[in-house]
Amino acid sequence: MPDILSLHHVTATVDHAQPDLDFCLEHLGLRLVKKTVNFDNHHVYHFYYGDERGTPGTIWTTFPYAGYGVPVGIKGAGQVTTTSFSVPAASLAWWRQRLEAAGLAPADDETRFGEAALVVVDPSGLLIELVGSDADTRTPWTAGTVDGTHAIRGLHSVTMTIANPGPTIAFMEERLGWTNAGQDGARTRMTVHGGGPGRSIDLLHNPTAPRARNGVGTVHHVAMAIGTGEEQLALREELLRAGAGVTEVRDRQYFTSIYFREPGGVLFEVATMAPGFAVDEAPDALGRDLKLPPWEEPHRGSITAGLAQVRYRA
Ligand code: ZN
């Protein structure tokens, strides 16, 4: 069985770059740990947000596709429909005030497994939750816009809307080593490595949800962390043996990745812990400059000319 350590990152298709940066940096208080381009379309930015180092399990990433004719997606079955970050339980009231003051109209979301949650809609229509959890011991990024008392600790979980959870649960258990940790209403919680914030995925059973369609305002995939490239290759072989369609190993510069779909339709990625975001810029300068992988460097001039100008405090 593969040793999946935690969530690694969640990636979404968003609209314009500047409002995305403003939301994640000014409102959520995350750190921009990398400004690069989509390696599959270098005309589009790829922003990585996270804690100080962009530790796997804290990372939220976006592709701002405004201007490229990508339609608004449909939220539905076969998709990550909500991305949840964890904050201290006692900080939810503070967050409600902060988000209300910013005009973001936070709403109570359902309490699940004893934890309360606030939900906000980001500038592209994505559902972002803050889950109050006192089980999170991770050190937050505190040099941004939120102090350490209240700051986001990292990803808490994602919620996948699934029309028929049985095959998804079996796949996650048998192929990926996740555990069914129980049910709360229509939610089944899958956990790995002991569970808790950063190590949980909720399956929301909804047999009548529309079929999801990828596009602006939807999550593209969720990635899980694995220790090494050798373990990643072994998992890939196992998935192939089991008849699952899986990509070759792709070099994402900050980690290597494989991609495959679970039976409910959600695109999963398994990404390595190393080398991380300090591989091409100093830890105290993460996110400041546009970083390109070696194979894109020859095109830096034309790439830069085609990208929207953005402003932010790095
Ligand atoms: Zn990814």
Side-chain angles (χ1 to χ4, degrees):
M1 198 62 83
D3 189 15
I4 300 294
L5 302 171
S6 64
L7 296 175
H8 190 290
H9 64 267
V10 182
T11 294
T13 306
V14 300
D15 200 6
H16 290 277
Q18 187 66 57
D20 185 64
L21 284 162
D22 292 344
F23 178 77
C24 292
L25 304 183
E26 301 304 321
H27 298 315
L28 295 185
L30 300 174
R31 184 180 193 193
L32 182 69
V33 294
K34 196 63 61 183
K35 178 171 66 169
T36 183
V37 293
N38 182 346
F39 290 2
D40 300 320
N41 178 355
H42 68 204
H43 300 296
V44 173
Y45 278 121
H46 194 181
F47 297 139
Y48 289 86
Y49 305 94
D51 68 359
E52 182 176 8
R53 292 287 188 122
T55 308
T58 72
I59 309 165
W60 166 246
T61 102
T62 60
F63 295 125
Y65 257 97
Y68 282 91
V70 175
V72 172
I74 296 172
K75 292 184 184 69
Q79 190 183 55
V80 169
T81 42
T82 303
T83 302
S84 306
F85 294 94
S86 78
V87 298
S91 295
L92 278 180
W94 181 91
W95 275 100
R96 180 194 304 279
Q97 277 195 330
R98 173 182 173 88
L99 297 168
E100 277 173 356
L104 290 166
D108 286 319
D109 214 338
E110 59 182 3
T111 295
R112 78 296 305 265
F113 300 97
E115 292 177 333
L118 280 180
V119 61
V120 289
V121 181
D122 92 337
S124 300
L126 288 150
L127 298 177
I128 302 291
E129 272 183 348
L130 298 176
V131 177
S133 175
D134 290 325
D136 203 330
T137 57
R138 294 175 291 182
T139 304
W141 164 242
T142 56
T145 57
V146 180
D147 70 46
T149 309
H150 304 300
I152 284 173
R153 268 51 183 169
L155 292 168
H156 177 281
S157 53
V158 293
T159 299
M160 298 171 20
T161 299
I162 299 291
N164 172 24
T168 298
I169 293 170
F171 180 83
M172 291 179 72
E173 286 177 336
E174 292 161 18
R175 303 290 164 220
L176 300 171
W178 289 69
T179 300
N180 183 344
Q183 209 168 334
D184 186 358
R187 231 172 243 278
T188 300
R189 176 155 291 180
M190 303 299 292
T191 63
V192 76
H193 251 267
R199 296 188 294 272
S200 303
I201 290 180
D202 285 357
L203 311 182
L204 191 63
H205 182 199
N206 185 346
T208 60
R211 186 77 200 157
R213 194 178 68 199
N214 188 39
V216 169
T218 60
V219 170
H220 187 262
H221 63 265
V222 56
M224 304 166 189
I226 199 163
T228 67
E230 291 73 39
E231 291 175 77
Q232 184 181 57
L233 273 177
L235 169 59
R236 182 174 183 275
E237 291 304 316
E238 275 304 312
L239 289 169
L240 286 173
R241 257 197 291 279
V246 54
T247 65
E248 73 285 8
V249 175
R250 295 187 184 157
D251 182 1
R252 297 316 196 187
Q253 180 77 354
Y254 311 108
F255 43 84
T256 63
S257 297
I258 57 173
Y259 302 82
F260 48 94
R261 283 192 194 276
E262 56 81 26
V266 177
L267 184 60
F268 281 174
E269 172 182 349
V270 171
T272 53
M273 298 292 288
F277 296 99
V279 70
D280 60 359
E281 59 188 339
D284 63 356
L286 294 183
R288 201 173 55 192
D289 301 318
L290 179 70
K291 304 308 291 186
L292 298 174
W295 60 91
E296 296 282 19
E297 272 301 342
H299 315 293
R300 178 174 280 272
S302 62
I303 288 172
T304 308
L307 291 169
Q309 295 283 334
V310 290
R311 295 179 52 184
Y312 57 95
R313 287 182 295 157

